[in-house]
């Protein structure tokens, strides 16, 4: 079931991004900043990586670069789960907020990501939930 959700999410994201028909010439290159994020992540410096991701998100927001916003959202979720004790809850709250703010086709992508977060949360906390 989880693999089906991941597969469908990947297909949805790929389709939506290709439907946007954005080329690299439409927006400035983000590769340098993403390489910095990758370096910080490899060193285990997730807080520093999150700061760069937040900078990318601000830049992408100003430029209306939705693919980069979605990418930063995925990285923010990952880093919040690593850095914060209640990272799962914060990630789900962030996803719900993005769903309310987004327009199609991005809204569908956020729905798919949120569904995946709920599924992962259930898998991680199933023993606790079943005891209630």
């Amino acid at each position: 079931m989880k693999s089906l959700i991941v597969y469908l999410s990947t297909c949805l994201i790929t389709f939506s991004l290709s439907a946007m028909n954005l080329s690299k010439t439409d927006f400035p290159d983000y590769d340098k900043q993403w390489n910095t994020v990758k370096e910080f992540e490899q060193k285990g410096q997730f807080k520093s990586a999150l700061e760069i991701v937040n900078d990318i998100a601000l830049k992408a927001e100003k430029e209306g670069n939705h693919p980069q916003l979605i990418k930063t959202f995925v990285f923010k979720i990952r880093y919040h789960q690593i850095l914060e004790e209640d990272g799962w809850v914060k990630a789900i709250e962030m996803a719900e907020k993005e769903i309310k703010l987004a327009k199609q086709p991005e809204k569908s992508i956020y729905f798919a990501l949120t569904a995946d977060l709920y599924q992962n949360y259930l898998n991680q906390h199933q023993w606790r939930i079943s005891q209630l």
Side-chain angles (χ1 to χ4, degrees), residues 14-57:
T14 303
F15 175 74
S16 296
L17 294 179
S18 65
M20 292 173 153
N21 197 20
L22 297 173
S23 68
K24 280 198 154 201
T25 58
D26 292 336
F27 298 104
D29 193 13
Y30 289 86
D31 288 343
K32 184 177 179 183
Q33 287 177 295
W34 283 114
N35 286 335
T36 304
V37 170
K38 184 178 178 181
E39 290 171 11
F40 281 133
E41 189 171 320
Q42 289 172 343
K43 294 176 185 176
Q45 298 174 340
F46 300 108
K47 195 169 190 175
S48 298
L50 180 60
E51 291 173 6
I52 302 296
V53 169
N54 286 332
D55 290 342
I56 295 170

Side-chain angles (χ1 to χ4, degrees), residues 10 12-13 49 52-54 86 96 98 103 113 120 128:
T10 304
L12 179 65
I13 290 169
I52 302 296
V53 169
N54 286 332
D86 62 342
E96 295 287 345
E98 289 299 326
K103 296 179 180 165
L113 292 171
N120 289 333
R128 191 180 284 165

Side-chain angles (χ1 to χ4, degrees), residues 3-128:
S3 61
L4 177 64
I5 291 173
V6 172
Y7 175 74
L8 291 174
S9 297
T10 304
C11 289
L12 179 65
I13 290 169
T14 303
F15 175 74
S16 296
L17 294 179
S18 65
M20 292 173 153
N21 197 20
L22 297 173
S23 68
K24 280 198 154 201
T25 58
D26 292 336
F27 298 104
D29 193 13
Y30 289 86
D31 288 343
K32 184 177 179 183
Q33 287 177 295
W34 283 114
N35 286 335
T36 304
V37 170
K38 184 178 178 181
E39 290 171 11
F40 281 133
E41 189 171 320
Q42 289 172 343
K43 294 176 185 176
Q45 298 174 340
F46 300 108
K47 195 169 190 175
S48 298
L50 180 60
E51 291 173 6
I52 302 296
V53 169
N54 286 332
D55 290 342
I56 295 170
L58 288 174
K59 182 178 176 183
E61 181 79 34
K62 287 179 188 174
E63 297 170 352
N65 189 336
H66 298 286
Q68 288 295 325
L69 284 171
I70 292 168
K71 184 175 181 179
T72 59
F73 175 75
V74 171
F75 276 77
K76 285 179 187 180
I77 287 172
R78 181 186 329 167
Y79 296 144
H80 283 292
Q81 289 173 343
I82 292 170
L83 295 171
E84 298 180 21
E85 187 174 325
D86 62 342
W88 283 103
V89 175
K90 177 138 183 163
I92 291 170
E93 289 171 353
M94 288 171 48
E96 295 287 345
K97 179 182 172 190
E98 289 299 326
I99 288 172
K100 290 178 185 173
L101 299 175
K103 296 179 180 165
Q104 291 296 345
E106 295 85 15
K107 189 172 207 153
S108 296
I109 296 170
Y110 289 120
F111 267 121
L113 292 171
T114 304
D116 192 47
L117 284 170
Y118 277 116
Q119 181 66 46
N120 289 333
Y121 182 85
L122 177 64
N123 291 341
Q124 293 289 324
H125 297 91
Q126 189 169 11
W127 62 272
R128 191 180 284 165

